[in-house]
Amino acid sequence: MANIRDVAKAAGVSVATVSRYLNNKGYISEEAKRVIAKAVEELNYQPSMIARSLSTKQSTFIGLIVPDIVNPFFPELARAIEDVALAYGYTLILCNSDEDLEKEINYVKTLQQKYVAGFIVASNHVEAEHYMGLDIPIVAIDRRIHSSIPYIATDNREGARIGTEHLLDSGCRNILCMRGPSGLGPADDRFAGFMDAVKGKNIETHIIECPFHFDIAETMVKKILQEVSIDGIFASSDVTAAGAMKAAYSAGIHVPNQLQIVGYDGTMLASQLTPGLTTVAQDLYRMGAMAARMLIELIKGQELTEREVLIPAELLIRQTTRSEA
Amino acid sequence: MANIRDVAKAAGVSVATVSRYLNNKGYISEEAKRVIAKAVEELNYQPSMIARSLSTKQSTFIGLIVPDIVNPFFPELARAIEDVALAYGYTLILCNSDEDLEKEINYVKTLQQKYVAGFIVASNHVEAEHYMGLDIPIVAIDRRIHSSIPYIATDNREGARIGTEHLLDSGCRNILCMRGPSGLGPADDRFAGFMDAVKGKNIETHIIECPFHFDIAETMVKKILQEVSIDGIFASSDVTAAGAMKAAYSAGIHVPNQLQIVGYDGTMLASQLTPGLTTVAQDLYRMGAMAARMLIELIKGQELTEREVLIPAELLIRQTTRSEA
């Protein structure tokens, strides 16, 4: 395989000139450009990206840190990020943090050594000290890390308000809110939206805090259904709504005739459930694609026009609610 | 930040000696080892992995090529691969091929330029020419690429046979087989397993070919249910089984009382559906973890004890079949 010295020799210029040409940096005459381009083509020279990383201290890798790629929320984000990254010549490194701070810090350190060009981070850790000292562009997605780090998410408060209003409009008067973990930004925002919708209305509410896990949701709702009588559930994620559906099925409670359920996220899972889950859909593809574009702008040293972006959510009415009520 | 020259200076040895020490290559005296280790510690020196890639022509990146990470089969594989990779100091580059040969070839080329250490590939493309010329270790997962490339998969023929037998044992006599794309190894093997189970028995069968897509499966089964009378479905994936469940729901056909359904894969989706989907489970975590271990052995220049590994499948009986029949 031809190397940069072969190109310089064939073009009759110095290695430094070829390097300036390849990195698009510094002065280079039109004639030199022409002969180098010709040599590159003739020798079928493919610049080693690693060698270029070393000289520019910048690679074309983007690190994506997510809690767990198996949660169906994240593959859809990852997919969008990868599509945009690839279009700009970047490739994606997948990192599952398992919501384990030490693992996350270790990943950040490792990728820094590999000269990653930037990070897109969906982290549950509010103590974001390991991101603060980094001299690498970062975009936070879904969860805010720090006011100094650009951030993109869904307007979760408004989304949850719309979802809860839909339960009210469909006749629910006795509603269980399965809120997400307290202290986690999106979960807190969605809970606030739920409260916005029920406030001042003659609605009985039951609040439980439930992590974004199917099995735990199923177990918690099974217990609730034995204790209280409810006619509606607002869940803070599609996965927990699916757990609630399974619990209702086991208890012989018909959805939506006896119990209506609204989820949150708009993942593929929501559409693949039977009956189809009514859900507040985040525009996951748009969110991932915008995060990737923002990060690439930062990598290229451009100023962002907006450092905080909130994308509206959209209610998708399917079969777990009776909109005609 | 300290570099290799700083370490050499502090230790009073040459840069070449420090390099031999870091790469664990060539002779180096015990005394030199001691002073270098001390200097590395005192200076808090972190070797740049990219610089090491250049000198050894080998990075610690592993490329994972999958058709689409949004299909719930692949995040679970990716998860296992990443866990093992990380334990050995490797990081994972995620590549969605979209079953598009050109995109896949482009990815292989790009990652080769980035000195990726190896590939794990789940490719639909049987013409594997773009993998044959590569001087990089490859492990094929789920789908065989070529007899020269190590391969790990589920024993799909036997798995499908077990799943179909379960429908027969549960009383089904009029069965729809939703086979996967013809020509795709795992799909062909599962179809053969279905045929093994029904052969010579007094069973009426209907065969349709259906890609691993939810929407298409739902549409195809809706049509079938209007045309013929069936009491069982064997689907070649969980996603297509979920589509069949949705079609039955729309047609007012009760699962499992009027129609029993068996899926294939054992993804999270199968357990999150209501009713829970009886499915032939692949041990996805084990498959991904073994693929990663095989690849890392190849990267380290070791011989594999087995170049083709078939993992047994396991029937998970849930609520879409009536095992008591």
Side-chain angles (χ1 to χ4, degrees):
Chain A
M1 210 152 66
N3 62 30
I4 194 170
R5 271 174 232 99
D6 300 326
V7 174
K9 203 171 155 191
V13 301
S14 71
V15 169
T17 306
V18 178
S19 172
R20 281 205 304 279
Y21 170 83
L22 293 173
N23 291 306
N24 210 6
K25 251 186 186 172
Y27 172 76
I28 175 163
S29 73
E30 287 307 313
E31 170 62 11
K33 277 185 196 164
R34 203 185 52 77
V35 292
I36 294 169
K38 195 161 160 263
V40 164
E41 201 189 323
E42 280 175 4
L43 297 170
N44 190 23
Y45 170 67
Q46 295 179 343
S48 153
M49 293 193 183
I50 287 198
R52 295 180 67 182
S53 296
L54 257 189
S55 66
T56 63
K57 292 261 176 186
Q58 202 175 73
S59 78
T60 50
F61 289 114
I62 290 175
L64 171 66
I65 298 182
V66 298
D68 187 356
I69 194 72
V70 171
N71 179 336
F73 180 76
F74 295 108
E76 300 188 31
L77 275 184
R79 188 54 228 261
I81 294 170
E82 191 229 335
D83 282 352
V84 171
L86 188 66
Y88 286 90
Y90 291 83
T91 44
L92 202 64
I93 299 173
L94 176 66
C95 314
N96 291 296
S97 71
D98 289 320
E99 308 183 17
D100 172 342
L101 184 60
E102 202 182 330
K103 193 174 173 198
E104 189 170 319
I105 291 174
N106 189 33
Y107 248 134
V108 171
K109 227 167 148 181
T110 304
L111 294 191
Q112 207 187 349
Q113 285 173 25
K114 295 189 183 191
Y115 294 133
V116 80
F119 285 103
I120 295 176
V121 180
S123 175
N124 290 352
H125 295 289
V126 278
E127 335 80 38
E129 283 171 25
H130 52 299
Y131 293 112
M132 301 314 299
L134 291 184
D135 191 22
I136 298 177
I138 302 172
V139 171
I141 192 163
D142 184 42
R143 294 134 204 235
R144 182 184 269 107
I145 298 181
H146 186 274
S147 59
S148 68
I149 294 176
Y151 163 73
I152 182 161
T154 298
D155 187 343
N156 286 304
R157 182 163 182 164
E158 178 62 7
R161 196 192 61 74
I162 294 169
T164 309
E165 292 275 7
H166 176 63
L167 283 174
L168 302 181
D169 293 346
S170 305
C172 298
R173 292 295 171 264
N174 206 326
I175 302 179
L176 170 68
C177 174
M178 302 171 69
R179 60 153 301 160
S182 180
L184 185 67
D188 288 344
D189 292 345
R190 288 171 206 169
F191 179 57
F194 172 83
M195 293 308 289
D196 291 345
V198 297
K199 202 173 134 188
K201 287 175 191 147
N202 188 21
I203 304 294
E204 195 169 323
T205 58
H206 309 267
I207 318 287
I208 56 171
E209 187 174 321
C210 178
F212 298 132
H213 287 282
F214 177 85
D215 291 338
I216 300 174
E218 184 186 358
T219 306
M220 290 181 90
V221 175
K222 261 186 186 160
K223 198 160 164 283
I224 292 277
L225 290 174
Q226 289 170 349
E227 291 166 359
V228 297
S229 171
I230 53 171
D231 58 10
I233 295 180
F234 174 73
S236 195
S237 74
D238 288 341
V239 168
T240 49
M245 285 172 70
K246 185 71 78 75
Y249 179 83
S250 305
I253 294 173
H254 189 275
V255 175
N257 290 349
Q258 295 168 277
L259 178 64
Q260 300 186 66
I261 301 178
V262 169
Y264 199 103
D265 279 343
T267 54
M268 210 79 97
L269 172 67
S271 69
Q272 295 181 351
L273 291 169
T274 298
L277 176 65
T278 295
T279 188
V280 179
Q282 307 194 57
D283 194 339
L284 297 180
Y285 196 91
R286 185 169 161 212
M287 192 152 91
M290 280 187 78
R293 261 184 240 111
M294 283 165 78
L295 184 70
I296 291 168
E297 283 175 29
L298 289 173
I299 291 170
K300 294 189 170 170
Q302 294 162 9
E303 278 289 317
L304 296 180
T305 43
E306 283 183 286
R307 294 183 62 88
E308 301 237 334
V309 179
L310 281 189
I311 300 177
E314 186 194 359
L315 180 69
L316 297 182
I317 298 175
R318 295 203 181 95
Q319 299 155 326
T320 56
T321 52
R322 292 175 283 125
S323 49
E324 67 283 3
Chain B
M1 210 152 64
N3 63 31
I4 193 170
R5 270 173 233 98
D6 301 325
V7 174
K9 204 171 155 190
V13 300
S14 71
V15 168
T17 306
V18 177
S19 172
R20 281 205 302 279
Y21 171 84
L22 293 173
N23 291 305
N24 209 6
K25 252 185 185 172
Y27 172 75
I28 175 162
S29 72
E30 288 307 312
E31 169 62 12
K33 276 185 197 167
R34 202 187 52 75
V35 291
I36 295 170
K38 193 160 160 265
V40 164
E41 201 189 321
E42 279 173 6
L43 297 170
N44 189 23
Y45 170 66
Q46 294 178 342
S48 153
M49 293 193 185
I50 287 199
R52 296 180 68 183
S53 295
L54 257 190
S55 67
T56 63
K57 290 262 173 185
Q58 200 174 74
S59 78
T60 50
F61 290 115
I62 289 174
L64 171 65
I65 298 182
V66 298
D68 187 355
I69 194 72
V70 171
N71 179 335
F73 180 75
F74 295 108
E76 301 188 32
L77 275 184
R79 188 55 229 258
I81 294 169
E82 191 230 335
D83 282 352
V84 171
L86 189 65
Y88 287 90
Y90 291 83
T91 44
L92 202 64
I93 299 172
L94 176 66
C95 314
N96 290 297
S97 71
D98 290 321
E99 309 184 16
D100 172 340
L101 184 60
E102 203 181 331
K103 193 173 174 200
E104 189 170 319
I105 291 173
N106 189 34
Y107 248 132
V108 171
K109 226 166 147 181
T110 304
L111 294 191
Q112 206 187 350
Q113 283 173 26
K114 295 190 182 188
Y115 293 133
V116 78
F119 285 104
I120 294 177
V121 180
S123 173
N124 290 352
H125 295 288
V126 278
E127 336 80 37
E129 281 170 30
H130 51 299
Y131 293 111
M132 301 315 300
L134 291 184
D135 191 22
I136 298 177
I138 303 171
V139 171
I141 192 163
D142 183 44
R143 294 133 204 237
R144 182 183 271 107
I145 297 180
H146 187 273
S147 59
S148 68
I149 294 177
Y151 163 72
I152 182 161
T154 299
D155 186 345
N156 286 303
R157 183 164 182 164
E158 178 61 9
R161 196 192 61 74
I162 294 169
T164 309
E165 292 275 7
H166 175 63
L167 283 174
L168 302 181
D169 293 347
S170 306
C172 298
R173 292 293 171 267
N174 206 326
I175 302 179
L176 170 67
C177 175
M178 301 170 70
R179 60 153 300 159
S182 180
L184 185 66
D188 288 344
D189 292 345
R190 289 171 206 169
F191 180 56
F194 172 83
M195 293 308 289
D196 290 345
V198 297
K199 202 172 133 188
K201 287 174 190 147
N202 189 21
I203 305 294
E204 196 169 323
T205 58
H206 309 267
I207 318 287
I208 56 170
E209 186 174 321
C210 178
F212 298 132
H213 287 283
F214 177 86
D215 291 338
I216 299 173
E218 184 186 359
T219 305
M220 290 181 90
V221 175
K222 260 186 186 160
K223 197 160 165 284
I224 292 276
L225 290 174
Q226 289 169 350
E227 290 167 0
V228 296
S229 171
I230 53 172
D231 58 10
I233 295 181
F234 174 74
S236 195
S237 74
D238 289 341
V239 168
T240 47
M245 284 171 70
K246 185 70 80 71
Y249 179 83
S250 305
I253 295 172
H254 190 274
V255 175
N257 290 349
Q258 295 168 278
L259 178 64
Q260 301 186 67
I261 301 178
V262 170
Y264 200 102
D265 280 342
T267 55
M268 213 79 98
L269 173 67
S271 68
Q272 296 180 350
L273 291 169
T274 298
L277 176 64
T278 295
T279 187
V280 179
Q282 306 195 57
D283 194 340
L284 297 181
Y285 196 91
R286 185 169 163 213
M287 191 152 90
M290 280 188 79
R293 262 184 240 110
M294 283 166 77
L295 184 70
I296 291 167
E297 284 175 28
L298 289 173
I299 291 169
K300 294 189 170 171
Q302 294 162 7
E303 277 290 314
L304 296 180
T305 43
E306 283 184 286
R307 295 184 59 89
E308 301 237 333
V309 179
L310 280 189
I311 299 177
E314 185 195 359
L315 180 69
L316 296 182
I317 298 175
R318 295 201 182 98
Q319 298 155 326
T320 56
T321 52
R322 293 174 283 126
S323 48
E324 67 283 3

